[in-house]
Each structure stands twice: as structure tokens, then as C-alpha cells.
Amino acid sequence: MASAQSDTHTTETSPTKHTRQGAGHFSSFVPNADANKEQFANEMTARSVGPVPPTAFLRDLMSRSKRKLPKFARVKIRAVKYDAVARVKKKDDMYTPLMDIIRDYGLLPSGYRICNTSTTADKDTGLKPDVSIQNSELNAMPVEDVDIDGGEEQVAEAVVDNNDDNDNDDNDDGGDNDENDDDDDETPQGCDWHQLELWAEFKLKKSDDAFIRNYTNIESKVLESTGDAGRATYGQIAAYAAAQLARQHRNFIYSLLICGSHARFIRWDRSGTIVSEHFDYTKKPRHLTEFLVRYGRLSMTERGFDPTVQLATSQEKAQFQTAIQAQIADQTKRQIPDMANVIDEYVPCQKVTIKGFCPGEDRHVVLEQDFIIQKPFTYPLSPVGRSTRAYLALSLSTNGLVFVKDYWRPAEPDRVSESDIYIALMDNKVPHLAKVLIAGDVPENGEYTQTALTQDWSSKPKMCLTGNELRKYRHIRIVQEMLFPLSSAQNSKELVKAIRNAVACVQAAYKVKWLHRDVSAGNVMLTKDGEGVLNDWDYGLEIGSSRKAASFRTGTWQFLSIALGWNSRKYHDISDDLESCYWVLLYIAIHHCASDAELKHLDMFNQCNVKMNGDTVLTTGGNDKMLYVQSLNSLESITFECGPLEYVLIALGDSISEYYASMKLPTKKAAASLLSGTKTKTAPLPAKDVVPSRPYPVDKALEVINAALKASDEAWPEADILEDRFPRERASAHKKDVNAAVRKQATTTPATGSMAPPSGSGVHHRPSGSASTKRALPEEVEGEDEPMGTNESRSSKRVRTLSDAPMPGPSRPRAGR
């Protein structure tokens, strides 16, 4: 068996981190609101910049030039008072006075609707900001660089010189902004993220403020509150920002936070937040009024809308939906599960203009094409970072369906863009890559590209302490051939072939000094012909390049190698990418292949422990994965009906287990002696770099998979991919189901003096339509001094060759069990 040492390298690699974005899409459960608040608060720590004086925030972040507001607007600013908002005893009583003031004084243009959304959750996210300012015209007009209530001339007048209170203005016509004519907005209603301009969150107590209020020595402090109530508020508003940024084509958004009689302005982008000082809006009402008036008079690009995206015409929308429906109706074509979901009546259909070049062609030839998109396959789960959205799109140039990948890439000078990575891989003839049609950064105007701003404000004087995670991000789009998820495979053989291609791609890329670093169930995909490709190289790393590692990278938690789970700061190597291929195959097989797998088997992918090491928070995992590959011959392992598939999973699992067995881990006897107080000589737990003494068998994966693919056609089922056996469920719903089952069992169990085991205990049922088999308990073969990380005393009946593998069929038991 050919083996190769997994070469170490000195290129700095970013440590992995467990985040909502990196773990959420492939988690077994959707976390509840409290868990989300805590996760968001942790992720956003040290990403806030401020405190910015309110006048500076308005002048520098909400203006186009030094032109003044017209006289009627300045008179209005001085007239408004907010005492009625602050002198209430219940938080719910704060909304109506503010909404009335905005309407009565016409602080926002016509088209804006001020809504109480505090009690009716959005149907998609379950979120309910207290007050939402929505704009129905967002779904009814192109995104252009003009003011929403008309003309460029009015926009030019919409900027304030904060130091100029002179009422004499040459353009003053004594007019007034159009007032909102909605009379029924006090009735609570659901938030519509697609029409949302900005939102306001209210708290009755100042102690609920998400940010600190003592700015003494602010340069040595982080701005986020350390109190439980403040952190809960920060997690809550971060969830709102994430939902809005995910569902709109925005480069940034604004929001309001009101705590008692104090308020703050917040600007969110993919790097972090810029936060104003808190101010008493009853004593300084001008700040709050000016914020609202300014916002309503800014152009759409100045409000953060992406100028390269506009509403599709009715004809373009019809073309897009017809193409989707034709794809679904043609059963001779490969299908994307739930493909119809990309058409959603609640999501505006939009036209996006993409500029860039085609990798493999002359990059000096700039392409510019229009694509129609609607709803992405998944929404980003965090307000910061890459925030990737993948769309099924209609090319107006070819009238064909393609993929559009839209995300924000780290923009440091030593970071290679994904488009350049594809060029390097293609130049070196790395196989099994997706076909890229256009790739390029998204233009802002002229020579500039859309880039986050928050990080630039962190270097201004009298700003708080920020962390290394406050990075510069740049907007990029990549157009690819149409691809399909692994769940669209026709059978287990096609699934295994796709993993074979991913393994071959990893190996070929490594030979030319590239690592993927995010092999996941979302990045191994199928072409229309069923060929596996390794997609999404935005985390790619060139070995030997001169670069400074970022403070962390998200990756996809469920598919990290055991070693990276144990130690996130381990240098990422080919062993980690190859091991991830195994976890992808096992994960998809559990979800979509016939077996006796149970929901509990997915726990190993989600396992995450957070602990303190001095002042450092460590997120670790991988122990459950290790226990699984060590116990492939135990009752806890999984029996798959497809023999060759199970052979691949057993053989690769054994290989991984044997690789980690070369580490010097404490034996069971030695570990027990630590509790008895009589220490024996024992090796330490995995070292910092988690480097086994045995070389990683980089060629074994291909040998194992190729051997399985050579099995006879009779060994491979023709069409055995199932609907998802374990679809994601909200944690609260799962708990409710469990509680209901417990009550039912308790009331139906015969009263024999003790609780009888559930019916069928000890029997693991196969999916509906397949046979059930009773599995005997394995023999006790573990020795007293067996090392925790070895397999030497495991059953000698383990499946070693393909000829020993169980063949599909209802009566064929698994060999070696």
C-alpha cells in the first residue's frame, strides 16, 4: 500500500472557529433564540468601532456633500420633541409615540411605512424587531442612484452642514416632505425583510444597552457590553442585521437602538459595526430627528443598496420562472432537490449585472452580462464575514441556467482571490473543478469596488479597542456552470464516484502546492452528467506563500478533521482535506442511504465543546468522530444496505483510526491511575500540533474507492438514494416531540413494577421497505491496557477486502458483525 508523508509546511494557516455561519447549515437542529443571541454576541465581540459622536456620524456617514438641508427641513428638526417616548413605564408603550411623531412631522418621504412589528414574527426567520420602517417601493422600482421621493436636485440638497444653522437658503421653497398617509400602522404586523429600510430596537432600561457607556480610556476597551442583559441585546440586534443583510442586496445598513431616554445610531457592514455615542434624545432631539430626515433623503446607493442590482421586469421574471419550471418538468435532466423553492412570491425577482473575466481565457477581456435571480439556496447566518449566497440564475445572454456565487472575500494584499486560485489550478491541470464562466469583484463606481468600511474607522483617534477579526472584505461574484448537490446522486455508486473525484482533486492540487481547506457536503457537487467536482476554493491556500494568518477562519464545522477539532491552530494539511472527504461521504450516506442509522449518529458532526484555557476561549470537537472510527465493529456503528458503500466507509474509517493510533495517548489503565492518585508513566494528550508519528496514507483513499467501484453491477443498487431521513428540525420542536413520546410511553407501559424497555429494544430497524435484522452484541475483546487510540485488539472479522463486504439484499447480514 503506497503511503506518503504528509509534508509539513511553514505557511501560516488560520485557526478554525465554531460560528453560526460555519456550523449552522449542516447542523441537525435549528438553534433557539437564546442560543442564537449568545452565539451572535460571541461572534461580534471586538467588531464594533466607536463611540462616534452623533454629529460626526451624521456628517461623515450619512451625507453626500457639504450642502445644507433646505430651510423647511431644518425648521422641522428643531421643532420635534420626544419626551412622550421616554416617559413611559413599559417598553411596549414607547413604539406608538415615536411612530406618531415620525408621521405627524413627515420625517420620512412618502412610500415609507412605519410598522409595529414587535409581536408578529417574520414567517421566514421568526424575528420581530420592535419597529420597522419599510418601503414598498423596493419591490416596485429599479435600484438607481436617485432619491426615492424624486429628482437629483432634491438629493443634492439632502446633506447637512452640522455647523451651519443659517436659515437663509437659496433653494428654500417653503415646501414640506410628503407625509406618510398610513393610518393603520399601529396594528402589530410581521416584518418584511425584503422591503425593510431600517429598524429600531427598544429597551426600557439603560442597563440593556448593547454597548458600554463609560468612554474613559476607550482605546483600551472593547465597545460591547459585558453584562448579560447587554450581551443579549447585542445578540438580538445582530440577528436582525444578519437577516436584513442576507435578504437584501445591501453593502451596509443602518439601525437605531433606543434604551430608555438614550439612543444610538449603528451602521452594519461585512466587517463589523460603527456605533455612535449614546445621547439623550429628550435633551438633544435634533440628533434623532436629523438621522431620520437624512436617511429618507439619501440616494439608494448612499443607503447601502447595491447599484449593480435592480428589480427584474415582468418579462425577465417570467423568463426566469419558465426556465426553472422547464428544468423541473424535464425528468430526463438531473434535478436539484426543492428546486422550486428558488421561486418565492415573497422574494423580489432581480437582475444583477456581473462584470469580470473568464478564467482560462484572456483576463484582460472584460465580460459584462446580466442574470436574473430570485431566492438563494441558503441565506447567510451571520452579519459579518464572507456571507456567501448561491443563486440559480438565468443568463440573459444564453437563456440558460447557471450558478451565481455572491460573497465578500478577505481583501488583504496577501489574500489570493478565488478567481486567481482557479487560474492557478487550471494552469496546472488540476482535475474535477467546476467550470467558471465569469469571475470578478463587484464595482461600486468607476474604478472602485464594493468594500467594507468599518475596519477603516478603527484607526481613527478615540476609538475603542477592536480585534484581529475586524478585517477588510471586498464583494465578489463568480458565475459557474449549473451544479447539483450530492443528494441529487442517482445511487450510492454515483455518490462514491463524486467523493473519489474530490479526493483526486485534493491530491492533484496538493502536488502543485494548493490546499482547499473547506471540503464539505456543500462544496463537493455534481455536474449535470453526475461527475463530482470540488467547488468553492475561496478558503484555498498556496503552500509556501508569504502570508499572515487571519485570526480565524470559519470553514464548515461538521466536516473538520479530528485533528483540527482537537486543536484549531494545527497547520492545515492534505490529511485534513482527505479526512474531510470521508466525513462528507458518511454524512450524506446517513442522510440519504438505507441503513440502521439513528439521529444520534449525527451528534458526532455537531459535537462542540467551549472551555477556558487561562484567558483564551477554546472551541474543540472531534472526540465523538474518533470514537466512531474506533468502534466500527461495535453496536454503535452503522450498517448500510449497499455493500460496496459500507466497504468504503469501513476501510477509510479504519485508515483514519490507524492514523491517529500512531499518537501516544494514555491507556485506559494509565488514565484510571490518575484518579487513584498513583500516576504511572504515560504519554501526554495530543500535542499542540497533533502530528502523528505515522505518515498519512494519502493514496489509500483512492485505492479503496477504486476497488469498490470495480465491484460488479449487481453489488451496487440501481437507485437507492432516499429523501433526507433526518431533515433539520427546530430544537424546540424536537424537545416537544421527545416529551410527547415520553408521556405516551409512560401511559402505555404495563405496570410491572418497573419501566419496561420500549418495544423492539435491541433491534435496529432499517428504513421502511427494507428488512430488519437483529444485531448481536459484539464480543468483549478490549484488553485492560488497550491504548485509547489504537485498534489492534478490535475484531479480526473486520471487513478488510471487498470480497468480504456485505452485498445488498434483505437477507444478507453484514460480515464481521
Side-chain angles (χ1 to χ4, degrees), residues 142 310-319 349-351 372:
Q310 60 184 346
L311 200 69
T313 65
S314 57
Q315 180 180 352
E316 291 165 342
K317 179 179 179 180
Q319 282 182 261
C349 195
Q350 294 168 310
K351 178 169 69 175
I372 306 302

Side-chain angles (χ1 to χ4, degrees), residues 22 180 407 482 507 520 592 634 705 714:
N180 295 285
Y407 71 102
M482 191 172 171
Q507 290 188 345
S520 72
H592 295 282
S634 77
I705 295 175
E714 290 75 16

Side-chain angles (χ1 to χ4, degrees), residues 138-152:
L138 294 182
N139 287 1
M141 64 175 290
V143 174
E144 297 173 349
D145 193 14
V146 297
D147 189 70
I148 194 159
D149 58 349
E152 292 287 351

